[in-house]
Amino acid sequence: MSAVTKSDPKTYIFNHTMFRVKDPKASIAFYENVLGMECFRRADGPDFTNYFLGYPSGFGANANASLEEKAELMTTREAVLELCHNHGTENDPDFKYHSGNEEPGRGFGHICIAVDDLEAACRRFDELGVKFKKRPEEGRMRHIAFIYDPDHYFVEILAKRGLTNAA
Amino acid sequence: MSAVTKSDPKTYIFNHTMFRVKDPKASIAFYENVLGMECFRRADGPDFTNYFLGYPSGFGANANASLEEKAELMTTREAVLELCHNHGTENDPDFKYHSGNEEPGRGFGHICIAVDDLEAACRRFDELGVKFKKRPEEGRMRHIAFIYDPDHYFVEILAKRGLTNAA
C-alpha cells in the first residue's frame, strides 16, 4: 500500500496540448520532418480528425513499440501534441487560425522544443527552409530561437540546460 | 559513439507550453491546489513574470529534488507549463485573455491532464468549487471531462487508458 492514492493529484500527468491546424498534411510534415516527432494516433470524427504526436523517447521503455501500441499507451505519458483538423479548412485560401500572439485573440503563446545543440538545430532548420521569428543571435536571449509552424504558431527552440542566460 | 548525434531531431523533447494569465495568484493556486502541479521556477522581466510548473513525477529520478535543482533541470524534461504574467492585468477588471476556443481568436484548444480515477478526480474538483465545461456523464465521451482554469482556458481531464471510447 502506497501513501499516494489513485485519486491524489500527484498521480496526474500533463498529457497533451491541443491546437487547431488548417492543413494537417503541412502540419504533420512540419512536426515529423522538421521537429522529429512521430504521429502515433489518428482519431476521425464526422467532420474533424485529431492527430496525436510526440517524441518516441517520451514513451520511455516503449520508445520502440509499434504505432498501435503507442496509440494505446499515449494517455499514460506526458508531452503529447494533439492537432485538430476541421475538415475543409485546408481548401479555403482565406482561412487562418489565430496563433494567440496577436490581437484579437491573444492568450496562447507557444510550445517549446528543447534541443541538445541549438546551433546545429538552427542550421538544419535553415536547410529545411523553416521561417524564423527570432534567431539565437537576435536579441538578448542567445539560448533560444523561435520558429513558425505552418499555422504561424510560435515554436520556441531552447538549448537544454540554458538557464545561465536570461529567461 | 551512438548512431544518434546530438543534432538529430530524435533527441529533441517537447519541453513546455506557454500561455498568458491575468492573475498569477489565481492561476498558480489552480494549477498547484486543484491540479497538483508544482511551481519550480519564477523568472522576472521588467514588466512580466514567467512561472514554470509541472508534475514532480516528470523529473523522474529527480522528483524529490529541491525547487532550485528542478529549476536547473527543467529544460531537460517534457510537459512543463509556463504561465506568462504581464504585470498589471490582474488589476484591470475588464481585462481578459482569449481561451482560443471562441471567435475571434480561435486556434489554441486546451491542455490535458490524465488521471487514474476520473470519477474521484471530478468529486474532488466539485469539493474545490471548480467550474465544469463538461462532466464525464455529459455527451458521448464518458472518459473525459473539461474544466475551466481561472482565465477560462479549457483543461481536459482524461482517464488514463480510456482509449476504448471515442476520441
Side-chain angles (χ1 to χ4, degrees), chain A residues 18-23 27 48 84-90 94-102 104-105 149-153, chain B residues 100 103-108:
Chain A
M18 180 281 246
F19 46 70
R20 298 170 183 86
V21 298
K22 172 178 172 143
D23 180 351
S27 295
F48 66 92
C84 173
H85 173 226
N86 289 302
H87 299 163
T89 53
E90 70 278 23
D94 295 329
F95 185 90
K96 70 186 274 282
Y97 282 119
H98 288 265
S99 77
N101 293 297
E102 296 94 30
D149 96 337
D151 288 276
H152 258 226
Y153 290 113
Chain B
E103 299 294 354
R106 245 165 70 100
F108 176 65

PDB file of all heavy atoms in Angstrom, chain A residues 18-23 27 48 84-90 94-102 104-105 149-153, chain B residues 100 103-108:
ATOM      1  N   MET A  18      -3.427  20.841 -27.127  1.00  0.00           N
ATOM      2  CA  MET A  18      -4.151  20.760 -28.400  1.00  0.00           C
ATOM      3  C   MET A  18      -4.290  22.129 -29.034  1.00  0.00           C
ATOM      4  O   MET A  18      -4.622  23.096 -28.360  1.00  0.00           O
ATOM      5  CB  MET A  18      -5.548  20.172 -28.181  1.00  0.00           C
ATOM      6  CG  MET A  18      -6.401  20.040 -29.458  1.00  0.00           C
ATOM      7  SD  MET A  18      -7.209  21.577 -30.059  1.00  0.00           S
ATOM      8  CE  MET A  18      -8.943  21.159 -29.830  1.00  0.00           C
ATOM      9  N   PHE A  19      -4.000  22.238 -30.320  1.00  0.00           N
ATOM     10  CA  PHE A  19      -4.460  23.385 -31.089  1.00  0.00           C
ATOM     11  C   PHE A  19      -4.927  22.931 -32.462  1.00  0.00           C
ATOM     12  O   PHE A  19      -4.692  21.795 -32.882  1.00  0.00           O
ATOM     13  CB  PHE A  19      -3.448  24.528 -31.156  1.00  0.00           C
ATOM     14  CG  PHE A  19      -2.027  24.187 -31.472  1.00  0.00           C
ATOM     15  CD1 PHE A  19      -1.655  23.760 -32.728  1.00  0.00           C
ATOM     16  CD2 PHE A  19      -1.040  24.348 -30.503  1.00  0.00           C
ATOM     17  CE1 PHE A  19      -0.336  23.487 -33.023  1.00  0.00           C
ATOM     18  CE2 PHE A  19       0.302  24.067 -30.795  1.00  0.00           C
ATOM     19  CZ  PHE A  19       0.647  23.635 -32.051  1.00  0.00           C
ATOM     20  N   ARG A  20      -5.651  23.831 -33.108  1.00  0.00           N
ATOM     21  CA  ARG A  20      -6.259  23.537 -34.406  1.00  0.00           C
ATOM     22  C   ARG A  20      -5.288  23.874 -35.531  1.00  0.00           C
ATOM     23  O   ARG A  20      -4.532  24.840 -35.426  1.00  0.00           O
ATOM     24  CB  ARG A  20      -7.545  24.357 -34.548  1.00  0.00           C
ATOM     25  CG  ARG A  20      -8.574  24.008 -33.499  1.00  0.00           C
ATOM     26  CD  ARG A  20      -9.756  24.970 -33.486  1.00  0.00           C
ATOM     27  NE  ARG A  20     -10.685  24.620 -32.408  1.00  0.00           N
ATOM     28  CZ  ARG A  20     -10.566  25.044 -31.157  1.00  0.00           C
ATOM     29  NH1 ARG A  20      -9.575  25.855 -30.816  1.00  0.00           N
ATOM     30  NH2 ARG A  20     -11.439  24.661 -30.246  1.00  0.00           N
ATOM     31  N   VAL A  21      -5.321  23.087 -36.582  1.00  0.00           N
ATOM     32  CA  VAL A  21      -4.460  23.339 -37.731  1.00  0.00           C
ATOM     33  C   VAL A  21      -5.312  23.372 -38.993  1.00  0.00           C
ATOM     34  O   VAL A  21      -6.306  22.658 -39.111  1.00  0.00           O
ATOM     35  CB  VAL A  21      -3.338  22.275 -37.860  1.00  0.00           C
ATOM     36  CG1 VAL A  21      -2.434  22.312 -36.636  1.00  0.00           C
ATOM     37  CG2 VAL A  21      -3.900  20.881 -38.081  1.00  0.00           C
ATOM     38  N   LYS A  22      -4.887  24.223 -39.908  1.00  0.00           N
ATOM     39  CA  LYS A  22      -5.647  24.399 -41.147  1.00  0.00           C
ATOM     40  C   LYS A  22      -5.474  23.218 -42.094  1.00  0.00           C
ATOM     41  O   LYS A  22      -6.434  22.725 -42.670  1.00  0.00           O
ATOM     42  CB  LYS A  22      -5.146  25.688 -41.840  1.00  0.00           C
ATOM     43  CG  LYS A  22      -5.698  25.899 -43.234  1.00  0.00           C
ATOM     44  CD  LYS A  22      -5.193  27.217 -43.828  1.00  0.00           C
ATOM     45  CE  LYS A  22      -5.595  27.336 -45.288  1.00  0.00           C
ATOM     46  NZ  LYS A  22      -5.940  28.700 -45.668  1.00  0.00           N
ATOM     47  N   ASP A  23      -4.211  22.755 -42.252  1.00  0.00           N
ATOM     48  CA  ASP A  23      -3.900  21.706 -43.230  1.00  0.00           C
ATOM     49  C   ASP A  23      -3.029  20.645 -42.570  1.00  0.00           C
ATOM     50  O   ASP A  23      -1.833  20.853 -42.353  1.00  0.00           O
ATOM     51  CB  ASP A  23      -3.167  22.338 -44.420  1.00  0.00           C
ATOM     52  CG  ASP A  23      -2.804  21.311 -45.472  1.00  0.00           C
ATOM     53  OD1 ASP A  23      -2.959  20.096 -45.228  1.00  0.00           O
ATOM     54  OD2 ASP A  23      -2.355  21.724 -46.558  1.00  0.00           O
ATOM     55  N   SER A  27       1.046  20.396 -41.507  1.00  0.00           N
ATOM     56  CA  SER A  27       1.412  20.399 -40.084  1.00  0.00           C
ATOM     57  C   SER A  27       2.135  19.122 -39.685  1.00  0.00           C
ATOM     58  O   SER A  27       3.128  19.162 -38.952  1.00  0.00           O
ATOM     59  CB  SER A  27       0.162  20.581 -39.226  1.00  0.00           C
ATOM     60  OG  SER A  27      -0.388  21.867 -39.468  1.00  0.00           O
ATOM     61  N   PHE A  48     -14.177  16.189 -38.393  1.00  0.00           N
ATOM     62  CA  PHE A  48     -12.846  16.590 -37.928  1.00  0.00           C
ATOM     63  C   PHE A  48     -11.995  15.340 -37.754  1.00  0.00           C
ATOM     64  O   PHE A  48     -12.520  14.217 -37.670  1.00  0.00           O
ATOM     65  CB  PHE A  48     -12.927  17.345 -36.593  1.00  0.00           C
ATOM     66  CG  PHE A  48     -13.403  16.490 -35.461  1.00  0.00           C
ATOM     67  CD1 PHE A  48     -12.505  15.792 -34.649  1.00  0.00           C
ATOM     68  CD2 PHE A  48     -14.750  16.350 -35.196  1.00  0.00           C
ATOM     69  CE1 PHE A  48     -12.950  14.994 -33.613  1.00  0.00           C
ATOM     70  CE2 PHE A  48     -15.208  15.542 -34.161  1.00  0.00           C
ATOM     71  CZ  PHE A  48     -14.303  14.863 -33.372  1.00  0.00           C
ATOM     72  N   CYS A  84      -5.829  19.342 -34.172  1.00  0.00           N
ATOM     73  CA  CYS A  84      -7.238  19.159 -34.533  1.00  0.00           C
ATOM     74  C   CYS A  84      -7.496  19.781 -35.900  1.00  0.00           C
ATOM     75  O   CYS A  84      -7.291  20.983 -36.096  1.00  0.00           O
ATOM     76  CB  CYS A  84      -8.124  19.808 -33.472  1.00  0.00           C
ATOM     77  SG  CYS A  84      -9.871  19.812 -33.913  1.00  0.00           S
ATOM     78  N   HIS A  85      -7.953  18.965 -36.816  1.00  0.00           N
ATOM     79  CA  HIS A  85      -8.242  19.436 -38.176  1.00  0.00           C
ATOM     80  C   HIS A  85      -9.741  19.401 -38.427  1.00  0.00           C
ATOM     81  O   HIS A  85     -10.352  18.330 -38.443  1.00  0.00           O
ATOM     82  CB  HIS A  85      -7.525  18.545 -39.203  1.00  0.00           C
ATOM     83  CG  HIS A  85      -7.905  18.853 -40.614  1.00  0.00           C
ATOM     84  ND1 HIS A  85      -8.221  17.898 -41.557  1.00  0.00           N
ATOM     85  CD2 HIS A  85      -8.040  20.054 -41.259  1.00  0.00           C
ATOM     86  CE1 HIS A  85      -8.522  18.470 -42.699  1.00  0.00           C
ATOM     87  NE2 HIS A  85      -8.426  19.768 -42.562  1.00  0.00           N
ATOM     88  N   ASN A  86     -10.333  20.565 -38.604  1.00  0.00           N
ATOM     89  CA  ASN A  86     -11.725  20.647 -39.018  1.00  0.00           C
ATOM     90  C   ASN A  86     -11.750  20.562 -40.540  1.00  0.00           C
ATOM     91  O   ASN A  86     -11.194  21.420 -41.230  1.00  0.00           O
ATOM     92  CB  ASN A  86     -12.349  21.951 -38.508  1.00  0.00           C
ATOM     93  CG  ASN A  86     -12.537  21.923 -37.001  1.00  0.00           C
ATOM     94  OD1 ASN A  86     -13.218  21.051 -36.468  1.00  0.00           O
ATOM     95  ND2 ASN A  86     -11.900  22.853 -36.291  1.00  0.00           N
ATOM     96  N   HIS A  87     -12.369  19.504 -41.035  1.00  0.00           N
ATOM     97  CA  HIS A  87     -12.280  19.191 -42.469  1.00  0.00           C
ATOM     98  C   HIS A  87     -12.704  20.373 -43.340  1.00  0.00           C
ATOM     99  O   HIS A  87     -13.733  20.996 -43.079  1.00  0.00           O
ATOM    100  CB  HIS A  87     -13.147  17.971 -42.795  1.00  0.00           C
ATOM    101  CG  HIS A  87     -12.738  16.731 -42.078  1.00  0.00           C
ATOM    102  ND1 HIS A  87     -13.522  15.624 -41.942  1.00  0.00           N
ATOM    103  CD2 HIS A  87     -11.571  16.424 -41.426  1.00  0.00           C
ATOM    104  CE1 HIS A  87     -12.886  14.690 -41.261  1.00  0.00           C
ATOM    105  NE2 HIS A  87     -11.704  15.153 -40.930  1.00  0.00           N
ATOM    106  N   GLY A  88     -11.911  20.640 -44.353  1.00  0.00           N
ATOM    107  CA  GLY A  88     -12.274  21.660 -45.326  1.00  0.00           C
ATOM    108  C   GLY A  88     -11.493  22.950 -45.192  1.00  0.00           C
ATOM    109  O   GLY A  88     -11.383  23.699 -46.161  1.00  0.00           O
ATOM    110  N   THR A  89     -10.951  23.211 -44.022  1.00  0.00           N
ATOM    111  CA  THR A  89     -10.229  24.478 -43.830  1.00  0.00           C
ATOM    112  C   THR A  89      -9.042  24.573 -44.779  1.00  0.00           C
ATOM    113  O   THR A  89      -8.664  25.676 -45.206  1.00  0.00           O
ATOM    114  CB  THR A  89      -9.734  24.639 -42.386  1.00  0.00           C
ATOM    115  OG1 THR A  89      -8.972  23.479 -42.011  1.00  0.00           O
ATOM    116  CG2 THR A  89     -10.888  24.796 -41.423  1.00  0.00           C
ATOM    117  N   GLU A  90      -8.466  23.423 -45.129  1.00  0.00           N
ATOM    118  CA  GLU A  90      -7.271  23.426 -45.990  1.00  0.00           C
ATOM    119  C   GLU A  90      -7.591  23.910 -47.402  1.00  0.00           C
ATOM    120  O   GLU A  90      -6.681  24.274 -48.154  1.00  0.00           O
ATOM    121  CB  GLU A  90      -6.625  22.034 -46.016  1.00  0.00           C
ATOM    122  CG  GLU A  90      -7.395  20.960 -46.753  1.00  0.00           C
ATOM    123  CD  GLU A  90      -8.513  20.324 -45.925  1.00  0.00           C
ATOM    124  OE1 GLU A  90      -9.003  20.961 -44.972  1.00  0.00           O
ATOM    125  OE2 GLU A  90      -8.914  19.194 -46.258  1.00  0.00           O
ATOM    126  N   ASP A  94      -8.522  31.803 -47.659  1.00  0.00           N
ATOM    127  CA  ASP A  94      -8.598  32.912 -46.707  1.00  0.00           C
ATOM    128  C   ASP A  94      -8.640  32.449 -45.250  1.00  0.00           C
ATOM    129  O   ASP A  94      -8.596  33.267 -44.332  1.00  0.00           O
ATOM    130  CB  ASP A  94      -9.858  33.754 -46.980  1.00  0.00           C
ATOM    131  CG  ASP A  94      -9.800  34.423 -48.338  1.00  0.00           C
ATOM    132  OD1 ASP A  94      -8.668  34.737 -48.787  1.00  0.00           O
ATOM    133  OD2 ASP A  94     -10.861  34.615 -48.960  1.00  0.00           O
ATOM    134  N   PHE A  95      -8.758  31.146 -45.055  1.00  0.00           N
ATOM    135  CA  PHE A  95      -8.914  30.667 -43.683  1.00  0.00           C
ATOM    136  C   PHE A  95      -7.586  30.662 -42.957  1.00  0.00           C
ATOM    137  O   PHE A  95      -6.577  30.187 -43.479  1.00  0.00           O
ATOM    138  CB  PHE A  95      -9.487  29.244 -43.689  1.00  0.00           C
ATOM    139  CG  PHE A  95      -9.774  28.750 -42.305  1.00  0.00           C
ATOM    140  CD1 PHE A  95     -11.012  28.964 -41.722  1.00  0.00           C
ATOM    141  CD2 PHE A  95      -8.801  28.094 -41.565  1.00  0.00           C
ATOM    142  CE1 PHE A  95     -11.271  28.536 -40.438  1.00  0.00           C
ATOM    143  CE2 PHE A  95      -9.051  27.667 -40.274  1.00  0.00           C
ATOM    144  CZ  PHE A  95     -10.281  27.886 -39.711  1.00  0.00           C
ATOM    145  N   LYS A  96      -7.586  31.186 -41.737  1.00  0.00           N
ATOM    146  CA  LYS A  96      -6.407  31.011 -40.888  1.00  0.00           C
ATOM    147  C   LYS A  96      -6.804  31.026 -39.418  1.00  0.00           C
ATOM    148  O   LYS A  96      -7.781  31.670 -39.031  1.00  0.00           O
ATOM    149  CB  LYS A  96      -5.327  32.049 -41.182  1.00  0.00           C
ATOM    150  CG  LYS A  96      -5.649  33.470 -40.759  1.00  0.00           C
ATOM    151  CD  LYS A  96      -4.577  34.452 -41.214  1.00  0.00           C
ATOM    152  CE  LYS A  96      -3.420  34.586 -40.262  1.00  0.00           C
ATOM    153  NZ  LYS A  96      -3.695  35.427 -39.089  1.00  0.00           N
ATOM    154  N   TYR A  97      -6.028  30.288 -38.625  1.00  0.00           N
ATOM    155  CA  TYR A  97      -6.237  30.303 -37.179  1.00  0.00           C
ATOM    156  C   TYR A  97      -5.404  31.399 -36.545  1.00  0.00           C
ATOM    157  O   TYR A  97      -4.402  31.845 -37.117  1.00  0.00           O
ATOM    158  CB  TYR A  97      -5.862  28.943 -36.575  1.00  0.00           C
ATOM    159  CG  TYR A  97      -6.923  27.899 -36.799  1.00  0.00           C
ATOM    160  CD1 TYR A  97      -6.652  26.748 -37.525  1.00  0.00           C
ATOM    161  CD2 TYR A  97      -8.203  28.065 -36.281  1.00  0.00           C
ATOM    162  CE1 TYR A  97      -7.637  25.790 -37.735  1.00  0.00           C
ATOM    163  CE2 TYR A  97      -9.191  27.121 -36.490  1.00  0.00           C
ATOM    164  CZ  TYR A  97      -8.906  25.987 -37.217  1.00  0.00           C
ATOM    165  OH  TYR A  97      -9.878  25.049 -37.419  1.00  0.00           O
ATOM    166  N   HIS A  98      -5.792  31.793 -35.360  1.00  0.00           N
ATOM    167  CA  HIS A  98      -5.029  32.772 -34.595  1.00  0.00           C
ATOM    168  C   HIS A  98      -3.928  32.050 -33.826  1.00  0.00           C
ATOM    169  O   HIS A  98      -4.177  31.022 -33.201  1.00  0.00           O
ATOM    170  CB  HIS A  98      -5.946  33.498 -33.614  1.00  0.00           C
ATOM    171  CG  HIS A  98      -6.872  34.458 -34.281  1.00  0.00           C
ATOM    172  ND1 HIS A  98      -6.582  35.796 -34.395  1.00  0.00           N
ATOM    173  CD2 HIS A  98      -8.053  34.271 -34.904  1.00  0.00           C
ATOM    174  CE1 HIS A  98      -7.566  36.400 -35.045  1.00  0.00           C
ATOM    175  NE2 HIS A  98      -8.475  35.498 -35.361  1.00  0.00           N
ATOM    176  N   SER A  99      -2.741  32.618 -33.847  1.00  0.00           N
ATOM    177  CA  SER A  99      -1.623  31.989 -33.135  1.00  0.00           C
ATOM    178  C   SER A  99      -1.710  32.224 -31.633  1.00  0.00           C
ATOM    179  O   SER A  99      -1.002  31.585 -30.863  1.00  0.00           O
ATOM    180  CB  SER A  99      -0.294  32.549 -33.636  1.00  0.00           C
ATOM    181  OG  SER A  99      -0.071  33.831 -33.074  1.00  0.00           O
ATOM    182  N   GLY A 100      -2.543  33.160 -31.225  1.00  0.00           N
ATOM    183  CA  GLY A 100      -2.622  33.512 -29.806  1.00  0.00           C
ATOM    184  C   GLY A 100      -1.718  34.680 -29.439  1.00  0.00           C
ATOM    185  O   GLY A 100      -1.776  35.189 -28.325  1.00  0.00           O
ATOM    186  N   ASN A 101      -0.879  35.096 -30.396  1.00  0.00           N
ATOM    187  CA  ASN A 101       0.112  36.127 -30.085  1.00  0.00           C
ATOM    188  C   ASN A 101      -0.165  37.473 -30.732  1.00  0.00           C
ATOM    189  O   ASN A 101       0.674  38.364 -30.669  1.00  0.00           O
ATOM    190  CB  ASN A 101       1.508  35.620 -30.482  1.00  0.00           C
ATOM    191  CG  ASN A 101       1.929  34.456 -29.618  1.00  0.00           C
ATOM    192  OD1 ASN A 101       2.074  34.601 -28.407  1.00  0.00           O
ATOM    193  ND2 ASN A 101       2.080  33.288 -30.215  1.00  0.00           N
ATOM    194  N   GLU A 102      -1.301  37.580 -31.415  1.00  0.00           N
ATOM    195  CA  GLU A 102      -1.675  38.876 -31.983  1.00  0.00           C
ATOM    196  C   GLU A 102      -3.081  39.222 -31.504  1.00  0.00           C
ATOM    197  O   GLU A 102      -3.856  38.343 -31.129  1.00  0.00           O
ATOM    198  CB  GLU A 102      -1.696  38.814 -33.524  1.00  0.00           C
ATOM    199  CG  GLU A 102      -0.341  38.537 -34.155  1.00  0.00           C
ATOM    200  CD  GLU A 102      -0.109  37.056 -34.426  1.00  0.00           C
ATOM    201  OE1 GLU A 102      -1.094  36.351 -34.662  1.00  0.00           O
ATOM    202  OE2 GLU A 102       1.051  36.625 -34.351  1.00  0.00           O
ATOM    203  N   PRO A 104      -6.898  40.452 -32.510  1.00  0.00           N
ATOM    204  CA  PRO A 104      -7.535  39.908 -31.313  1.00  0.00           C
ATOM    205  C   PRO A 104      -7.180  38.439 -31.155  1.00  0.00           C
ATOM    206  O   PRO A 104      -6.762  37.811 -32.127  1.00  0.00           O
ATOM    207  CB  PRO A 104      -9.022  40.051 -31.651  1.00  0.00           C
ATOM    208  CG  PRO A 104      -9.071  39.887 -33.144  1.00  0.00           C
ATOM    209  CD  PRO A 104      -7.774  40.430 -33.679  1.00  0.00           C
ATOM    210  N   GLY A 105      -7.319  37.936 -29.982  1.00  0.00           N
ATOM    211  CA  GLY A 105      -7.090  36.517 -29.802  1.00  0.00           C
ATOM    212  C   GLY A 105      -5.885  36.196 -28.939  1.00  0.00           C
ATOM    213  O   GLY A 105      -5.522  35.032 -28.781  1.00  0.00           O
ATOM    214  N   ASP A 149       5.387  27.480 -37.063  1.00  0.00           N
ATOM    215  CA  ASP A 149       4.835  26.262 -37.661  1.00  0.00           C
ATOM    216  C   ASP A 149       3.931  26.683 -38.826  1.00  0.00           C
ATOM    217  O   ASP A 149       3.785  27.891 -39.096  1.00  0.00           O
ATOM    218  CB  ASP A 149       4.159  25.394 -36.583  1.00  0.00           C
ATOM    219  CG  ASP A 149       2.664  25.596 -36.481  1.00  0.00           C
ATOM    220  OD1 ASP A 149       2.157  26.659 -36.896  1.00  0.00           O
ATOM    221  OD2 ASP A 149       1.982  24.693 -35.978  1.00  0.00           O
ATOM    222  N   PRO A 150       3.343  25.740 -39.576  1.00  0.00           N
ATOM    223  CA  PRO A 150       2.577  26.121 -40.777  1.00  0.00           C
ATOM    224  C   PRO A 150       1.389  27.049 -40.502  1.00  0.00           C
ATOM    225  O   PRO A 150       0.963  27.783 -41.396  1.00  0.00           O
ATOM    226  CB  PRO A 150       2.119  24.768 -41.344  1.00  0.00           C
ATOM    227  CG  PRO A 150       3.181  23.814 -40.909  1.00  0.00           C
ATOM    228  CD  PRO A 150       3.549  24.271 -39.519  1.00  0.00           C
ATOM    229  N   ASP A 151       0.819  27.030 -39.299  1.00  0.00           N
ATOM    230  CA  ASP A 151      -0.271  27.948 -38.958  1.00  0.00           C
ATOM    231  C   ASP A 151       0.232  29.232 -38.312  1.00  0.00           C
ATOM    232  O   ASP A 151      -0.563  30.019 -37.802  1.00  0.00           O
ATOM    233  CB  ASP A 151      -1.264  27.253 -38.017  1.00  0.00           C
ATOM    234  CG  ASP A 151      -2.079  26.193 -38.744  1.00  0.00           C
ATOM    235  OD1 ASP A 151      -3.090  26.545 -39.356  1.00  0.00           O
ATOM    236  OD2 ASP A 151      -1.661  25.022 -38.747  1.00  0.00           O
ATOM    237  N   HIS A 152       1.544  29.396 -38.275  1.00  0.00           N
ATOM    238  CA  HIS A 152       2.173  30.547 -37.631  1.00  0.00           C
ATOM    239  C   HIS A 152       2.085  30.518 -36.117  1.00  0.00           C
ATOM    240  O   HIS A 152       2.226  31.542 -35.448  1.00  0.00           O
ATOM    241  CB  HIS A 152       1.644  31.869 -38.205  1.00  0.00           C
ATOM    242  CG  HIS A 152       2.603  32.482 -39.174  1.00  0.00           C
ATOM    243  ND1 HIS A 152       2.964  33.802 -39.169  1.00  0.00           N
ATOM    244  CD2 HIS A 152       3.325  31.914 -40.167  1.00  0.00           C
ATOM    245  CE1 HIS A 152       3.832  34.039 -40.128  1.00  0.00           C
ATOM    246  NE2 HIS A 152       4.061  32.913 -40.755  1.00  0.00           N
ATOM    247  N   TYR A 153       1.821  29.339 -35.549  1.00  0.00           N
ATOM    248  CA  TYR A 153       2.014  29.205 -34.101  1.00  0.00           C
ATOM    249  C   TYR A 153       3.502  29.346 -33.834  1.00  0.00           C
ATOM    250  O   TYR A 153       4.342  28.911 -34.639  1.00  0.00           O
ATOM    251  CB  TYR A 153       1.536  27.835 -33.601  1.00  0.00           C
ATOM    252  CG  TYR A 153       0.040  27.652 -33.648  1.00  0.00           C
ATOM    253  CD1 TYR A 153      -0.543  26.734 -34.519  1.00  0.00           C
ATOM    254  CD2 TYR A 153      -0.798  28.393 -32.817  1.00  0.00           C
ATOM    255  CE1 TYR A 153      -1.915  26.563 -34.565  1.00  0.00           C
ATOM    256  CE2 TYR A 153      -2.175  28.224 -32.865  1.00  0.00           C
ATOM    257  CZ  TYR A 153      -2.727  27.311 -33.736  1.00  0.00           C
ATOM    258  OH  TYR A 153      -4.085  27.138 -33.783  1.00  0.00           O
TER     259      TYR A 153
ATOM    260  N   GLY B 100      -8.842  30.820 -26.881  1.00  0.00           N
ATOM    261  CA  GLY B 100      -8.543  30.151 -28.141  1.00  0.00           C
ATOM    262  C   GLY B 100      -9.717  29.374 -28.701  1.00  0.00           C
ATOM    263  O   GLY B 100      -9.656  28.878 -29.829  1.00  0.00           O
ATOM    264  N   GLU B 103     -14.601  32.826 -31.101  1.00  0.00           N
ATOM    265  CA  GLU B 103     -14.253  33.843 -32.094  1.00  0.00           C
ATOM    266  C   GLU B 103     -14.311  35.214 -31.430  1.00  0.00           C
ATOM    267  O   GLU B 103     -15.203  35.449 -30.625  1.00  0.00           O
ATOM    268  CB  GLU B 103     -15.234  33.796 -33.273  1.00  0.00           C
ATOM    269  CG  GLU B 103     -15.255  32.480 -34.031  1.00  0.00           C
ATOM    270  CD  GLU B 103     -13.951  32.173 -34.759  1.00  0.00           C
ATOM    271  OE1 GLU B 103     -13.047  33.035 -34.779  1.00  0.00           O
ATOM    272  OE2 GLU B 103     -13.844  31.056 -35.266  1.00  0.00           O
ATOM    273  N   PRO B 104     -13.460  36.189 -31.774  1.00  0.00           N
ATOM    274  CA  PRO B 104     -12.274  35.942 -32.594  1.00  0.00           C
ATOM    275  C   PRO B 104     -11.170  35.342 -31.736  1.00  0.00           C
ATOM    276  O   PRO B 104     -11.211  35.475 -30.513  1.00  0.00           O
ATOM    277  CB  PRO B 104     -11.894  37.355 -33.040  1.00  0.00           C
ATOM    278  CG  PRO B 104     -12.307  38.219 -31.889  1.00  0.00           C
ATOM    279  CD  PRO B 104     -13.533  37.567 -31.291  1.00  0.00           C
ATOM    280  N   GLY B 105     -10.239  34.716 -32.377  1.00  0.00           N
ATOM    281  CA  GLY B 105      -9.107  34.209 -31.612  1.00  0.00           C
ATOM    282  C   GLY B 105      -9.006  32.710 -31.575  1.00  0.00           C
ATOM    283  O   GLY B 105      -8.155  32.155 -30.881  1.00  0.00           O
ATOM    284  N   ARG B 106      -9.874  32.012 -32.321  1.00  0.00           N
ATOM    285  CA  ARG B 106      -9.829  30.561 -32.291  1.00  0.00           C
ATOM    286  C   ARG B 106      -8.520  30.038 -32.852  1.00  0.00           C
ATOM    287  O   ARG B 106      -7.999  30.523 -33.842  1.00  0.00           O
ATOM    288  CB  ARG B 106     -10.983  29.986 -33.099  1.00  0.00           C
ATOM    289  CG  ARG B 106     -11.977  29.226 -32.267  1.00  0.00           C
ATOM    290  CD  ARG B 106     -13.247  28.987 -33.015  1.00  0.00           C
ATOM    291  NE  ARG B 106     -13.067  28.036 -34.096  1.00  0.00           N
ATOM    292  CZ  ARG B 106     -13.405  26.741 -34.011  1.00  0.00           C
ATOM    293  NH1 ARG B 106     -13.926  26.253 -32.896  1.00  0.00           N
ATOM    294  NH2 ARG B 106     -13.237  25.945 -35.035  1.00  0.00           N
ATOM    295  N   GLY B 107      -7.996  29.014 -32.198  1.00  0.00           N
ATOM    296  CA  GLY B 107      -6.742  28.410 -32.629  1.00  0.00           C
ATOM    297  C   GLY B 107      -6.300  27.425 -31.568  1.00  0.00           C
ATOM    298  O   GLY B 107      -6.491  26.225 -31.710  1.00  0.00           O
ATOM    299  N   PHE B 108      -5.777  27.965 -30.473  1.00  0.00           N
ATOM    300  CA  PHE B 108      -5.414  27.126 -29.334  1.00  0.00           C
ATOM    301  C   PHE B 108      -6.658  26.463 -28.772  1.00  0.00           C
ATOM    302  O   PHE B 108      -7.725  27.074 -28.713  1.00  0.00           O
ATOM    303  CB  PHE B 108      -4.755  27.990 -28.262  1.00  0.00           C
ATOM    304  CG  PHE B 108      -4.423  27.238 -27.002  1.00  0.00           C
ATOM    305  CD1 PHE B 108      -3.484  26.215 -27.013  1.00  0.00           C
ATOM    306  CD2 PHE B 108      -5.055  27.540 -25.805  1.00  0.00           C
ATOM    307  CE1 PHE B 108      -3.176  25.519 -25.854  1.00  0.00           C
ATOM    308  CE2 PHE B 108      -4.748  26.853 -24.639  1.00  0.00           C
ATOM    309  CZ  PHE B 108      -3.805  25.846 -24.661  1.00  0.00           C
TER     310      PHE B 108
END
